[in-house]
Every structure is written in structure tokens, then in C-alpha cells.
Amino acid sequence: MNKDLSQTVNYTALDNEVEYRYFFESGLNGMLVFLPHSNEIIAANPTACSLLGMTEEEIYSLTNLDLFDLSNPNVLIFLEERKHKQKVIAEITIIRKNGTVFPVMVESLLFKDNNGEEKNYFIFRDNTELITTVQETEKAAQK
């Protein structure tokens, strides 16, 4: 069956912007966008602000490196992999405004925008509950 191309919806740049905004602002995961060459954070969604315990302005005053728990070897491995790959998925630890360190599952995606500028999406979710559940399950299985 041939698809009638006259019936195809044509998305405009505005449609794409609206969809992007909705996805970014209503996501269940924390999302940051930063410039890889300077590590400057240029966008933070409400979930990222909540997870980090910071306002957007506070986040923008930092670089993405300020958020990482650099004492965790997994963070250092993640940062090294990110230099060489367009997409990296890892379990690392990051730091909230109050100084507490918490585990996250992170996906880092490198891309070029319409102007050819490199940007990095940093998508993360708090893994504290998952890790606690796994540990409790393992402990119960050992009994």
C-alpha cells in the first residue's frame, strides 16, 4: 500500500520547538544541556533542579564538572569515555546543593545543533531507591 504523501504532516521549526520544550520540561528524568568545550550548563529542566536541590540560576553558575563526585572512579571512567564517544551510559555519583552524594544512572549524548555547535545532553535519574531495593533483596536471599 502506497502512502499518500499529501497527507503527511509537515512539522515546522516551531512544532519541533514546542515538542522539545514539552519533552524537556515535563520529563521524569533530570536533563541538563551543556557545551562540551567549556562544560558550561546552558539548560536545566525542573526535574534536574529538584534532584539537585538547586534553582536554574544556581545550576547555570556551575559547570557540569562541579556536579560530579570526582572521588568516585566510575565518574572518572565516564568522563574519559565521554571524550571519545557520542553516547555514554553509566552509573555514577553526583552532588546535591546540600553536599550529599547520590547515585544516578546517566546517559550522555553528544550532538550538533542546527548551527553546528556541539552540545551534550546529560540525562539522569536518581538510583538510590533501586540500589536500596537490590541490596535488601540480596540480603534477604542470603538468609
Side-chain angles (χ1 to χ4, degrees):
M1 178 179 204
N2 290 332
K3 185 175 180 178
D4 180 1
L5 295 180
S6 67
Q7 300 296 318
T8 302
V9 176
N10 292 316
Y11 285 102
T12 66
L14 181 58
D15 292 327
N16 289 333
E17 174 65 20
V18 169
E19 289 173 5
Y20 165 80
R21 268 284 147 223
Y22 178 77
F23 172 74
F24 188 78
E25 293 185 5
S26 66
L28 297 175
N29 295 318
M31 294 184 216
L32 302 173
V33 180
F34 64 89
L35 303 176
H37 61 279
S38 66
N39 293 314
E40 175 188 4
I41 299 169
I42 60 171
N45 76 345
T47 304
C49 295
S50 176
L51 288 171
L52 295 169
M54 298 182 198
T55 65
E56 277 186 77
E57 292 74 22
E58 289 171 320
I59 291 173
Y60 297 155
S61 72
L62 305 172
T63 69
N64 68 328
L65 296 176
D66 295 322
L67 301 175
F68 297 140
D69 171 21
L70 297 175
S71 69
N72 180 339
N74 289 342
V75 171
L76 302 177
I77 293 167
F78 164 75
L79 292 172
E80 188 59 32
E81 283 186 22
R82 205 181 65 193
K83 290 178 186 176
H84 307 289
K85 297 180 181 177
Q86 275 197 278
K87 179 178 179 179
V88 178
I89 298 173
E91 290 183 53
I92 63 171
T93 47
I94 59 177
I95 306 168
R96 289 189 171 98
K97 178 182 178 178
N98 67 9
T100 58
V101 174
F102 66 107
V104 295
M105 176 61 75
V106 63
E107 185 171 0
S108 180
L109 306 163
L110 188 64
F111 70 99
K112 288 187 180 182
D113 66 13
N114 291 337
N115 298 320
E117 183 175 24
E118 273 196 340
K119 294 184 179 171
N120 194 296
Y121 272 113
F122 183 81
I123 304 166
F124 65 101
R125 78 176 138 275
D126 187 341
N127 262 7
T128 304
E129 286 183 33
L130 176 63
I131 290 171
T132 301
T133 301
V134 168
Q135 289 171 343
E136 288 172 357
T137 303
E138 288 173 351
K139 198 183 283 186
Q142 292 174 355
K143 290 182 180 179

